[in-house]
Amino acid sequence: MAKAEIGLIGLGVMGSNLALNIAEKGHRIAVFNRTTARTHEFAAEAGPLRDMVVPCDTIEDLVAAIEAPRPIIIMTMAGKPVDEQIAALRPVLAANDIIIDAGNANFRDTMRRFSELDGSGLTFIGMGVSGGEEGARHGPSIMVGGTEASWKRIESVLVDISAKYKGEPCAAWLGPNGAGHFVKTIHNGIEYADMQMIAEIYGILRDGLGFSAAECSEIFNTWNKGRLESYLIEISGIVLGATDPISGKPMVDMIVDKAGQKGTGKWSAIEAQNMGVPATGIEAAVAARSLSSFKAQRETAETILGLPAAGQIKSLDRGQLIADLELALLAGKIGAYAQGFAVLAEASKEFGWNLPMPTIARIWRAGCIIRSQFLDDITSAFRAAPDAANLVITPAFAALVKETDGALRRTVSVAALNGLAVPALASALGYFDSYRRGRGTANLIQAQRDFFGAHGFDRVDGLDKHHGPWGSGLAEFS
Ligand code: 6PG
């Protein structure tokens, strides 16, 4: 039998689908799973693609089945399992073989793995893959970190299996070492913010306007035909319209309001904080998921504090309010994406990655969870101004902010007046209002810091006097 072109370890949901995608695109693939039964089950499931799949019972068999130099994808849970697989592979691989970690790794682990493999003769790639099960099977968005030479060696396979946006592949080399996994992490942070803002709008519709799940579904379905067109709006419309086969009630009404999280959103917020870049939309979304898990406390608090009256919202013009909600969501998205890209820009400097912003926006246009029409606009904005300090001051997005921020302002106000929590949308408004104001209020904070800690400040007139006429600073004025 001809040797396989590539190997894959880890036949869970993502690994199986990715392997089938690779096989379907004409690349023979050798597969291995920790439990041998799963390997054979997978081979049987491959159906017409069975001939393109080489099931292997041991790591040694896997290595022997692949044409050297061997690219091997590890698609296991992030963290320790990846280190274990690398340790198992190292003794059996030969110089120039490539280990590709395609899980949701923390980029700091990826950087560590790069340095651990440095000098081993093996090549390492940290690869972000987005699109869930469906994306892995039919075309994910692929974010590659490693040397450009290693990308070149696997480019044809990755381009073949990736999603296409109007014929352009959604796979690219983004920079060395941790770049691919960092970009995937920020993708997920933006995904969190996007999902949270959609949920906040749903909260206004459900708890403010008293809309049923079906009515909410219709609104999202309509929005998906307009400027909000995106995968997340599309699936929101679908899930809100689904009926629970057991109770006959809307499915969403039967789901406990506690959101899970596996860590990538939190990592995005932490890294943004580490670099001193505001990512308030991502932070708000992570915090909202955490607060959602305090279900029992929230129920107790509701009985003690009660809910603010949400009467006023009912007297508003519904058509106008719904039009505002649509634009508010667009404005909120601008804030979250602007912040996400600002984090990427800072990381690019800090880690010397030289991240290509237009390429990142380009490969997020299809295949990934945050895919949308909107990302095509971001791609164009960055192509026109690749070094823009912030998305919101590119000409196209500045115009969009001016067009939509009134609706965001009214939406956040209405929500606040009616006791409806909109932390991510409010964070976007706060971000715009802080970012656009040339003279903010940090002068007072500097004065306070100087008062209690003699921290010093810069003067607007540039004079070399750095303390106020209080406490020990009096010396400067004597
Ligand atoms: C994707 C997704 C996928 C997954 C994450 C986030 O891009 O395909 O981001 O990677 O959704 O694991 O999941 P949590 O919501 O569980 O943190």
Side-chain angles (χ1 to χ4, degrees), residues 104 129-132 184 187-188 191-192 260-264 289 369:
N104 268 332
V129 178
S130 176
K184 175 60 176 35
H187 164 283
N188 282 23
E191 171 187 306
Y192 272 52
Q261 47 181 321
K262 291 197 286 290
T264 44
R289 285 205 195 182
I369 302 296

Side-chain angles (χ1 to χ4, degrees), residues 107-108 179 181-187 189-190 264-283 335-353 355 357 360 364 382 388-391 431:
F107 85 105
R108 293 189 181 276
H181 277 143
F182 189 86
V183 172
K184 175 60 176 35
T185 297
I186 300 304
H187 164 283
I190 294 173
T264 44
K266 183 179 75 179
W267 298 340
S268 299
I270 290 172
E271 296 304 338
Q273 290 278 13
N274 280 341
M275 291 184 290
V277 179
T280 54
I282 300 173
E283 286 166 13
Y337 282 68
Q339 293 177 351
F341 276 99
V343 175
L344 291 175
E346 189 56 34
S348 183
K349 276 190 242 154
E350 185 156 331
F351 298 101
W353 287 332
L355 292 177
M357 299 305 158
I360 294 170
W364 285 352
F382 277 128
N390 191 300
L391 184 67
Y431 180 66

Side-chain angles (χ1 to χ4, degrees), residues 26 34-35 68 95 108 111 156 161 192 233 287 317 364 373 426 446:
R34 206 166 30 90
T35 46
R108 293 189 181 276
M111 308 269 266
S156 64
I161 65 167
Y192 272 52
I233 292 288
D317 174 334
W364 285 352
Q373 179 53 39
Q446 285 297 76

Side-chain angles (χ1 to χ4, degrees), residues 215-262:
E215 287 169 313
C216 296
S217 166
E218 263 178 54
I219 290 173
F220 283 110
N221 289 340
T222 307
W223 288 350
N224 195 43
K225 295 187 191 103
R227 295 155 83 186
L228 285 174
E229 184 197 344
S230 60
Y231 175 70
L232 285 171
I233 292 288
E234 181 192 351
I235 65 165
S236 302
I238 295 171
V239 298
L240 282 160
T243 303
D244 172 26
I246 299 171
S247 65
K249 294 184 179 159
M251 191 68 242
V252 284
D253 292 347
M254 301 304 293
I255 299 176
V256 176
D257 55 329
K258 290 159 79 170
Q261 47 181 321
K262 291 197 286 290

Side-chain angles (χ1 to χ4, degrees), residues 312-328:
Q312 183 252 4
I313 195 169
K314 301 232 163 66
S315 62
L316 297 176
D317 174 334
R318 287 192 168 198
Q320 178 57 49
L321 179 58
I322 292 169
D324 269 355
L325 297 183
E326 182 179 11
L327 286 185

